[in-house]
Amino acid sequence: MILSCNPNMDKVSSDCPYPGCFFCVMKEGNPSKRRASILKFFRELPAQDDDGQVLPISGLWNTAMAHPNDPEFIELGIFECMAALIWKGLKNRRWLSHDQNIYIPYYAAHIIGSYTMNMEEFAESAVHAGVIPPLVELLRGRLTWVEQRVAVRALGHLATYASTFPAVASHGEILELSIQLAMSSLEIVYSHFYQYVDRRLSYHCDLLTRGMGGVEMESRKAEEWASQLQCWSLQLINCFAFKPEFLPTICKPEFLTKLPGMWGGLVNENSPAGIGLLRTICHHKLGRGPVASCPGIIESLCNIARSSDDWQYMTIDCLLWLLQDPSTCHKVIDKAVPALVDLAEITTLGDHKKFGDSIVNVLEECVQSQGTGRNAFSNRTKELIEELLNSRQRLKWEKNMPKEDLHIKQAAALVVKLEGNSLFSSGNISGAASKYSEALALCPMRSKKERVVLYSNRAQCHLLLQQPLAAISDATRALCLHNPLNRHAKSLWRRAQAYDMLGLAKESLLDAILFINECSQSNDPDLSLRQNKVPDYAERLVKKQMRAAWLFREAAIKHGGVHCEGDAGDIYGRETDDSEWETASESDIGNDGRDEMGNDDDDDEDDDDSEWKNDDERKEKYDKSSMKACGR
């Protein structure tokens, strides 16, 4: 059979002079003839050495991507054909280097991965066709990282299904290889492709950009593919982590310690990433012990638990399971409690209802079952838990209070808050923080909007007093109380600055981006984006954190592509493209954003529950311009 009459894989001539070519066969109107020809093609292709073999393979790749649930090619032997082609490329380097055959193992592995992505019966057919051994060879790096990427993707799909996981697990090296790949993938892509533009393999560049981009596009796509290589490795490991017998292999300190930092480059939102894998590990008692014993891992989990991202609930789950396990509770409680107390006001998080109640219940159980000696926890931890439990008790008491008494408490809290605003305006930052604390003690628990403002204002005081941990705590509490959750713009910005003080670039970047998103939807004149331009102070922070959180940063430091200091003059690979963020005018610049946001007040936020508002309170105004002058 002639493989293809047309050198352009994206275009087939309507007057093809070779009616036996694969693309003409695909247009055959007689179903039985078509199936017979395709069956013959799949059987004969691996044995042929004709030029142009990559063209029908790339066509099959397009079909697999567009119609992964179509059974026709599965029934006709596509998996056997793709496995044979991978083996041919591995064993016959002369054939592999001829014409464009270098592309074929990549396309073949990608086709296997696409057809096994959704359908368990297809995965079973693939295993019976013998696809696992050649995929394992690609996973070992027998060719390049590009083929490793699609091999780990395909193996990850095969490992997802109960019926095919044993076949994957029977190849013992797959788990070890995946762990090593997850840890080294970013360095591999950086050193083998990104770092030296003039040494890039041409077929890698073509696959990355489909021939449509230059060096800049190749670099951007390399970051994306490196992220996928790491995330798909983690996804494959995650399939093993559900089985307790594999946890000793996974739970090595070197690997566990790195997991919280495997964010996948802020892409691949459907991947479990490092946090999702940690959640799977912590679900098992066998996994919780090693996690609790890893230095720094609980602190990382606490930072991510506070972050407003898709992995928040996964991280909280990890911390709660560690606290509920008597063998790990005492190891983690002093670090975990401050973060969990800040998050206790969460009501609904995604599909998870009454999330805050779960946190409170677990912490209450910890108090009741506290051990002694080595298993005892600190007085500060006890105080935080008791404060949380008292606030819940206070909420119950307030439900039975007369409305008149609640109005009085509300009015008193408002007066104290205004006193705090006045102190802040005059430059007495510590005095203002004390007043906001006093107002929080008076403010009814159910007045969530007002408490958001008080916590956020106090967070700003902590920022100016150079107390980033306290600022993060208050900003997080404000974000948890806010409706919708994690969407209070000023608290996001204040927490982004606090994370920046601590050198937590990824957390700061996430909050800064969310802040910009909220600004774009805000009616607050202090926050709304003028002419759809990003405020200069937010743009500067985002660019700074994008450099610091750059996917290849550690690899670049190791290979001499970046200085170790975080100064603006350092080289982090390519420069950040200014076109990503429209630049605000110079007149908008204000003390890294502090002058751009006034002190929160009643006309700035709809602070109070409507039943406690009256006409006089609605008319209360505060001089925002004086607040701006003091960096609010």
Side-chain angles (χ1 to χ4, degrees):
M1 176 185 292
I2 296 173
L3 297 174
S4 174
C5 61
N6 199 312
N8 188 337
M9 67 182 71
D10 297 321
K11 183 179 178 182
V12 178
S13 173
S14 59
D15 55 350
C16 174
Y18 303 104
C21 84
F22 177 75
F23 292 106
C24 291
V25 167
M26 291 299 296
K27 294 189 293 183
E28 169 63 54
N30 186 314
S32 60
K33 287 184 179 179
R34 182 176 184 272
R35 287 176 62 86
S37 296
I38 294 172
L39 179 65
K40 181 181 179 184
F41 170 76
F42 285 149
R43 286 178 177 172
E44 295 180 353
L45 180 62
Q48 300 206 4
D49 289 324
D50 301 339
D51 292 349
Q53 285 181 303
V54 72
L55 301 181
I57 301 300
S58 65
L60 289 169
W61 169 76
N62 281 315
T63 301
M65 292 287 286
H67 307 286
N69 301 335
D70 188 335
E72 181 183 28
F73 289 165
I74 313 301
E75 297 166 355
L76 297 175
I78 193 170
F79 287 136
E80 289 85 352
C81 179
M82 296 303 107
L85 286 171
I86 295 173
W87 278 125
K88 186 173 183 177
L90 290 168
K91 296 177 179 179
N92 189 341
R93 294 306 174 102
R94 181 196 59 79
W95 172 83
L96 188 66
S97 61
H98 178 68
D99 194 40
Q100 291 185 308
N101 294 340
I102 190 69
Y103 292 86
I104 290 178
Y106 169 87
Y107 281 128
H110 214 311
I111 289 167
I112 294 170
S114 294
Y115 276 123
T116 55
M117 182 168 49
N118 303 321
M119 310 292 286
E120 185 167 6
E121 57 267 38
F122 291 3
E124 292 170 357
S125 297
V127 170
H128 293 149
V131 302
I132 294 180
L135 289 175
V136 172
E137 292 302 310
L138 295 182
L139 186 66
R140 285 192 179 116
R142 285 278 303 278
L143 294 181
T144 73
W145 65 271
V146 164
E147 289 81 15
Q148 280 182 303
R149 170 180 167 269
V150 287
V152 76
R153 170 180 178 258
L155 289 168
H157 293 326
L158 294 173
T160 300
Y161 305 109
S163 61
T164 53
F165 174 79
V168 176
S170 67
H171 294 261
E173 69 269 41
I174 288 179
L175 179 56
E176 290 280 7
L177 289 169
S178 301
I179 292 171
Q180 290 302 316
L181 194 55
M183 291 193 292
S184 61
S185 55
L186 304 185
E187 182 179 348
I188 289 171
V189 178
Y190 179 81
S191 60
H192 287 75
F193 183 86
Y194 193 100
Q195 185 176 16
Y196 301 109
V197 174
D198 57 339
R199 299 182 191 175
R200 294 176 178 179
L201 295 178
S202 60
Y203 90 96
H204 284 181
C205 298
D206 290 341
L207 288 173
L208 283 161
T209 65
R210 304 294 162 200
M212 301 296 291
V215 171
E216 181 67 18
M217 178 62 74
E218 291 167 8
S219 298
R220 289 176 184 268
K221 291 297 292 184
E223 291 186 43
E224 180 182 333
W225 280 27
S227 168
Q228 291 172 344
L229 180 57
Q230 185 178 74
C231 285
W232 288 338
S233 299
L234 293 170
Q235 189 168 339
L236 178 53
I237 299 165
N238 196 51
C239 295
F240 282 87
F242 281 103
K243 310 291 184 181
E245 61 267 30
F246 297 106
L247 288 176
T249 302
I250 298 171
C251 293
K252 303 289 178 60
E254 179 188 8
F255 181 56
L256 290 181
T257 303
K258 292 184 177 181
L259 275 181
M262 294 184 184
W263 285 31
L266 307 181
V267 298
N268 294 322
E269 64 277 5
N270 294 324
S271 167
I275 297 304
L277 177 53
L278 273 173
R279 183 176 182 269
T280 303
I281 292 169
C282 288
H283 188 69
H284 294 282
K285 186 174 182 64
L286 283 174
R288 289 193 286 270
V291 170
S293 300
C294 272
I297 198 169
I298 304 304
E299 184 176 346
S300 297
L301 285 173
C302 290
N303 289 331
I304 298 170
R306 290 188 177 102
S307 298
S308 310
D309 75 342
D310 295 335
W311 299 308
Q312 190 173 26
Y313 86 90
M314 295 185 182
T315 316
I316 296 173
D317 274 350
C318 290
L319 295 173
L320 294 182
W321 287 334
L322 290 166
L323 289 176
Q324 288 175 300
D325 189 332
S327 66
T328 57
C329 178
H330 65 282
K331 296 181 180 179
V332 305
I333 191 165
D334 286 332
K335 291 182 179 178
V337 164
L340 291 173
V341 167
D342 292 343
L343 297 163
E345 293 290 351
I346 293 176
T347 52
T348 300
L349 184 59
D351 297 330
H352 305 268
K353 309 297 182 183
K354 297 183 178 181
F355 216 67
D357 290 345
S358 299
I359 292 173
V360 174
N361 292 337
V362 170
L363 295 182
E364 187 173 17
E365 290 171 5
C366 288
V367 170
Q368 294 172 352
S369 60
Q370 181 194 0
T372 58
R374 290 180 59 190
N375 291 340
F377 43 87
S378 70
N379 290 332
R380 178 56 181 159
T381 298
K382 295 177 192 175
E383 291 171 3
L384 287 172
I385 296 176
E386 288 172 2
E387 177 186 319
L388 175 62
L389 297 178
N390 288 339
S391 69
R392 288 305 174 104
Q393 189 62 45
R394 177 181 159 191
L395 180 61
K396 292 179 182 178
W397 292 337
E398 288 177 357
K399 286 181 179 179
N400 299 319
M401 288 179 68
K403 284 188 178 181
E404 294 77 8
D405 291 347
L406 290 174
H407 281 299
I408 293 171
K409 288 172 65 71
Q410 179 73 12
L414 178 60
V415 169
V416 176
K417 182 184 82 168
L418 293 176
E419 291 175 358
N421 289 353
S422 180
L423 288 170
F424 186 92
S425 180
S426 66
N428 186 348
I429 308 302
S430 59
S434 296
K435 284 296 180 182
Y436 295 139
S437 298
E438 185 180 341
L440 282 164
L442 289 168
C443 187
M445 297 294 294
R446 63 184 297 180
S447 183
K448 292 186 176 182
K449 292 179 181 178
E450 176 68 17
R451 295 179 73 81
V452 167
V453 171
L454 289 169
Y455 276 124
S456 189
N457 282 358
R458 195 171 69 176
Q460 178 68 347
C461 291
H462 290 312
L463 271 178
L464 296 178
L465 293 169
Q466 298 294 304
Q467 299 168 344
L469 291 176
I472 290 169
S473 175
D474 278 346
T476 301
R477 294 186 184 203
L479 288 162
C480 290
L481 283 166
H482 191 260
N483 185 20
L485 178 71
N486 292 326
R487 295 274 299 276
H488 187 243
K490 293 181 181 179
S491 296
L492 285 167
W493 178 247
R494 287 158 187 167
R495 195 170 66 176
Q497 291 176 291
Y499 280 137
D500 180 45
M501 288 181 182
L502 296 173
L504 297 173
K506 291 177 182 177
E507 290 83 350
S508 178
L509 177 60
L510 282 175
D511 279 351
I513 291 173
L514 287 170
F515 165 72
I516 291 169
N517 291 341
E518 289 306 305
C519 286
S520 67
Q521 305 171 38
S522 177
N523 295 321
D524 183 345
D526 289 340
L527 297 174
S528 59
L529 302 186
R530 287 177 285 279
Q531 298 178 348
N532 295 320
K533 292 182 179 179
V534 175
D536 185 80
Y537 56 84
E539 178 187 3
R540 288 200 305 271
L541 184 62
V542 167
K543 285 186 176 181
K544 173 185 177 182
Q545 306 304 20
M546 286 181 71
R547 289 194 298 268
W550 182 42
L551 189 69
F552 292 133
R553 187 175 187 277
E554 289 187 14
I557 291 172
K558 182 175 180 180
H559 291 270
V562 61
H563 302 297
C564 294
E565 300 297 327
D567 299 333
D570 291 346
I571 301 172
Y572 292 85
R574 60 178 175 82
E575 289 295 320
T576 304
D577 184 359
D578 285 345
S579 65
E580 293 182 37
W581 308 98
E582 288 194 61
T583 305
S585 65
E586 289 300 315
S587 61
D588 295 337
I589 298 174
N591 191 26
D592 290 335
R594 293 172 187 162
D595 291 347
E596 286 297 311
M597 291 181 288
N599 205 24
D600 288 324
D601 206 359
D602 294 333
D603 61 345
D604 179 45
E605 288 279 345
D606 183 16
D607 297 332
D608 309 317
D609 286 357
S610 57
E611 63 175 310
W612 291 330
K613 275 188 178 283
N614 56 48
D615 291 340
D616 291 333
E617 290 172 342
R618 292 175 196 271
K619 294 175 183 176
E620 188 99 41
K621 300 293 181 181
Y622 194 76
D623 185 0
K624 289 187 187 177
S625 60
S626 66
M627 287 294 93
K628 287 190 178 184
C630 291
R632 295 286 280 174

